């Protein structure tokens, strides 16, 4: 089952739910949504989980850390949809699971959604990226479609159970071809995608070290 189907399955439903929460939302780059791809998303709020449920296409499999189950409501919905959780404390098991995920994606013609930071930012500022999404791209040859989320850390803040009214923007960037990516350049690919996020995020969500460089 798709997260999109579980949570409502239509743009109108998602917009209605966001209005109920008091969050005006802008969505840009929707022409890229129906591509079979590895969708990646910066992660600064539990609200992000709802947004990926709504804004990734049917046939998308989620891969997240096992602790996602503790997110109020959205974590339970994630698990009920039979999406995947990774135990980051067991690196061998994680590597094996990623290989199995890559195989299933190709065989069943699926897409993936991943938080490349591997955890939620406590400040809203972008964290370093883990390498797993690049390894999956290399194994599946799927393009990567970055989803840039802004404002969600203000709408649902750390240690709060309340969603606050705050403008939210979701921007899909053009697909990044990975057909010629190789394992010996994993770090280079990770840095390139990370730099794209830095370029498209507001200063308030950029890593501090990037602000100092600029």
């Amino acid at each position: 089952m798709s997260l999109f189907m579980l949570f409502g399955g239509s743009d109108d439903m998602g917009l209605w739910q966001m209005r109920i929460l008091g969050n005006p939302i802008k969505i840009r780059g929707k022409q890229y949504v129906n591509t079979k791809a590895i969708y990646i998303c910066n992660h600064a709020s539990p609200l992000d989980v709802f947004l990926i449920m709504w804004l990734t296409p049917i046939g998308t499999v989620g891969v997240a850390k096992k602790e996602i189950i503790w997110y109020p409501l959205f974590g339970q919905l994630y698990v009920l949809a039979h999406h995947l959780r990774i135990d980051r404390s067991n690196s061998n098991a994680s590597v094996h699971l990623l290989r199995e995920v890559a195989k299933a994606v190709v065989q069943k013609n699926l897409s993936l959604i991943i938080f490349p930071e591997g955890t939620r930012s406590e400040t809203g500022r972008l964290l370093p990226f883990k390498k797993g999404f690049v390894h999956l791209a290399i194994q599946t040859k799927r393009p990567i479609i970055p989803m840039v989320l802004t404002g969600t850390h203000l709408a649902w803040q750390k240690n709060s159970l309340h969603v606050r009214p705050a403008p939210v923007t979701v921007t899909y960037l053009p697909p990044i071809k990975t057909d010629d990516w190789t394992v010996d350049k994993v770090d280079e690919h990770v840095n390139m995608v990370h730099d794209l996020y830095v370029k498209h995020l507001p200063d308030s969500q950029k890593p501090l070290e990037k602000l100092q460089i600029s």
Side-chain angles (χ1 to χ4, degrees), residues 162-176:
H162 302 287
V163 178
R164 303 164 183 254
V168 171
T169 301
V170 180
T171 303
Y172 298 88
L173 300 184
I176 302 168

Side-chain angles (χ1 to χ4, degrees), residues 1-4 32-40 52 55-64 78 81-84 98 100-114 133 136-137 140-145 147 172 175:
M1 181 188 299
S2 161
L3 287 173
F4 180 90
Y32 305 123
V33 173
N34 291 321
T35 304
K36 291 293 182 185
I38 296 176
Y39 292 83
I40 62 172
I52 67 169
L55 294 172
T56 52
I58 293 173
T60 301
V61 177
V63 182
Y78 183 96
H82 303 293
H83 289 256
L84 302 172
L98 288 178
E100 291 300 309
V101 169
K103 181 194 270 187
V105 165
V106 173
Q107 290 178 345
K108 298 181 180 180
N109 195 28
L110 301 171
S111 293
L112 287 172
I113 176 67
I114 300 174
F133 77 100
L136 284 168
T140 63
K141 301 300 181 185
R142 287 278 192 269
I144 291 172
I145 296 183
M147 297 171 64
Y172 298 88

Side-chain angles (χ1 to χ4, degrees), residues 21-184:
L21 296 173
N23 299 96
I25 182 167
K26 292 181 181 178
I27 303 174
R28 300 169 177 153
K30 284 188 67 176
Q31 65 269 31
Y32 305 123
V33 173
N34 291 321
T35 304
K36 291 293 182 185
I38 296 176
Y39 292 83
I40 62 172
C41 178
N42 56 305
H43 188 24
S45 166
L47 190 60
D48 305 336
V49 180
F50 163 70
L51 289 172
I52 67 169
M53 289 177 181
W54 168 28
L55 294 172
T56 52
I58 293 173
T60 301
V61 177
V63 182
K65 63 180 182 178
K66 68 176 185 178
E67 291 83 1
I68 196 171
I69 194 174
W70 300 114
Y71 282 18
L73 179 61
F74 301 142
Q76 289 74 46
L77 289 172
Y78 183 96
V79 174
L80 287 172
H82 303 293
H83 289 256
L84 302 172
R85 293 177 293 147
I86 292 177
D87 183 357
R88 292 182 301 162
S89 66
N90 187 335
S91 58
N92 290 333
S94 295
V95 169
H96 176 73
L97 178 57
L98 288 178
R99 286 175 182 160
E100 291 300 309
V101 169
K103 181 194 270 187
V105 165
V106 173
Q107 290 178 345
K108 298 181 180 180
N109 195 28
L110 301 171
S111 293
L112 287 172
I113 176 67
I114 300 174
F115 294 125
E117 295 159 287
T119 192
R120 176 163 45 111
S121 170
E122 296 184 356
T123 63
R125 294 191 181 277
L126 190 68
L127 301 174
F129 283 178
K130 308 293 185 183
K131 301 177 184 180
F133 77 100
V134 170
H135 285 291
L136 284 168
I138 291 171
Q139 292 175 47
T140 63
K141 301 300 181 185
R142 287 278 192 269
I144 291 172
I145 296 183
M147 297 171 64
V148 183
L149 271 56
T150 61
T152 60
H153 64 297
L154 300 176
W156 190 337
Q157 299 180 358
K158 183 186 175 187
N159 298 326
S160 173
L161 294 177
H162 302 287
V163 178
R164 303 164 183 254
V168 171
T169 301
V170 180
T171 303
Y172 298 88
L173 300 184
I176 302 168
K177 293 185 64 177
T178 65
D179 305 63
D180 58 350
W181 282 17
T182 54
V183 174
D184 60 307

